[in-house]
Amino acid sequence: MPQTCPFCSPASVVASTPTALVLHDGFPLTHGHTLVVPRRHVASLFELSAEEQAELWQLVTQVRSALVEQLHPDGFTVGVNDGEAAGQTVPHAHIHVIPRYVGDVADPRGGIRWVLPEKAAYREASS
C-alpha cells in the first residue's frame, strides 16, 4: 500500500467494518458526499473478490440509509470512477455516495451521462 494513499491512512473515519471504511469526501460535490473504501489497497473494485464487492455494496446501502435519515436528500448519485481515463484521481478503489437535492444543478436529467457533456442530452437529440 502506497504511503501517500489518502484512503490507506485517512485523517478521519466515519464508520468501519473489517473490510471497508466510510469517509467524508475531501472535496464534496454536495452536503453529505461520502466514500465507501475497501481496506485492501487495490486500484479497481474489480480486483476485489465477489465477497468483498458484496460487502462494499451492503455498506453503500447502509450509508445511503443513514444519509436519508440525517439529510433527507431528494435522490442520490452512486458511482465509481474505474481508471484514470474514467476520472479516477486516487488509485485506491472507492464508491461515491452523493446525496442530490432539487436545484443542486439546473437540469439533472442525464445524471452520470454528463461525464461526456456532448452525449448527455440524448433525449433531446433523439426527439
Side-chain angles (χ1 to χ4, degrees), residues 45 52-62 78-80 95:
L45 287 179
E52 289 170 307
Q53 289 182 39
E55 288 180 36
L56 286 179
W57 287 108
Q58 286 176 334
L59 192 51
V60 166
T61 299
Q62 293 170 9
V78 176
V80 175
I95 303 168

Side-chain angles (χ1 to χ4, degrees), residues 4-8 35 37 41-43 81 83 87-94:
T4 60
C5 178
F7 299 160
C8 287
L35 303 176
V37 182
H41 185 95
V42 295
N81 298 320
Q88 185 176 5
T89 56
V90 176
H92 184 137
H94 56 286

Side-chain angles (χ1 to χ4, degrees), residues 14-65:
V14 175
S16 66
T17 70
T19 58
L21 302 173
V22 176
L23 313 172
H24 290 298
D25 190 279
F27 302 93
L29 295 175
T30 65
H31 182 59
H33 183 168
T34 303
L35 303 176
V36 176
V37 182
R39 286 183 184 270
R40 187 157 70 95
H41 185 95
V42 295
S44 172
L45 287 179
F46 302 99
E47 295 176 54
L48 297 170
S49 70
E51 294 78 17
E52 289 170 307
Q53 289 182 39
E55 288 180 36
L56 286 179
W57 287 108
Q58 286 176 334
L59 192 51
V60 166
T61 299
Q62 293 170 9
V63 166
R64 183 192 178 280
S65 294

